[in-house]
Amino acid sequence: MDDAQPTPSHAGSGRMRQAVVEQIGSRIRAARQENDLSVGALAEHSGVSRRMLTQIELGQANPSVAILDRVAAGLGTTFAALMGIGAHAQPDGVEVWSTDGGSWAVILDAMDAPGVSVETWKWRLLGEDVYEGGSGVPSSGRMLHVIEGALEVTTEQGTEVIEAGGTGRVVTDATYRYRSLREPGTVFLSVALQPRTV
């Protein structure tokens, strides 16, 4: 398995904040040990290589949210639960993704129900910054609502533009992409429905 992330050909693809990387690495290690799983067993369950898992646990890798979704699924949980987002979440949420250009994504809250976790995110995309997601983990999709600007959403089905005040959906297990089409940028909310196995 090769989890190396390609270097984007465009500027502003963003990275996970180092403090978040270290925090989630510790939580993944604790959850793996709690489930009595070796790194190799988690690699088999998640489809993420042992090397990448070790680097994530040590805070030495900057994985995509897509890879962390796969790790969470391998642990029988969700990314939001690994982040500690839920009933006791801070009202500001946790900034998970950002770029040098000033774009960011904050997970505001999450709620677990039988079989599904519902995550609420707030996004701000500026300039040429692009977010690419898609973990391959089966998902019920994402609902989007644009507050300011215009959002371009690209999936294997094509490209859709959502203007301010409009809504849309992303229903795919494959790669999807968000990009702002307006200056000074685009602000939007997303609600993601993620499957839970525990």
Side-chain angles (χ1 to χ4, degrees), residues 1 14 26 29 33 48 50 53 75 79 113 115 135 138 141 149 164 169 179:
M1 281 171 258
S26 297
R29 182 173 48 252
Q33 292 170 344
V48 176
R50 290 190 306 192
L53 287 170
L75 290 166
F79 172 75
S135 61
R169 292 183 183 212
R179 184 171 75 95

Side-chain angles (χ1 to χ4, degrees), residues 136-156:
V137 175
S139 170
S140 300
R142 290 162 180 77
M143 296 178 288
L144 308 171
H145 177 74
V146 177
I147 299 169
E148 299 172 8
L151 178 67
E152 179 184 83
V153 181
T154 303
T155 67
E156 74 273 10

Side-chain angles (χ1 to χ4, degrees), residues 13 51 164 166 191:
S13 62
R51 179 173 173 252
V191 177

Side-chain angles (χ1 to χ4, degrees), residues 20-96:
V20 174
V21 168
E22 292 170 6
Q23 179 185 54
I24 202 159
S26 297
R27 288 184 173 169
I28 287 170
R29 182 173 48 252
R32 178 178 59 76
Q33 292 170 344
E34 188 176 301
N35 287 313
D36 199 25
L37 291 172
S38 66
V39 173
L42 180 55
E44 287 181 32
H45 290 306
S46 66
V48 176
S49 72
R50 290 190 306 192
R51 179 173 173 252
M52 175 61 84
L53 287 170
T54 299
Q55 290 176 331
I56 291 170
E57 288 190 1
L58 295 173
Q60 297 173 346
N62 196 302
S64 66
V65 175
I67 287 177
L68 294 175
D69 277 340
R70 288 167 41 197
V71 174
L75 290 166
T77 188
T78 64
F79 172 75
L82 284 176
M83 288 299 301
I85 301 295
H88 304 292
Q90 298 175 359
D92 303 6
V94 176
E95 184 178 295
V96 173

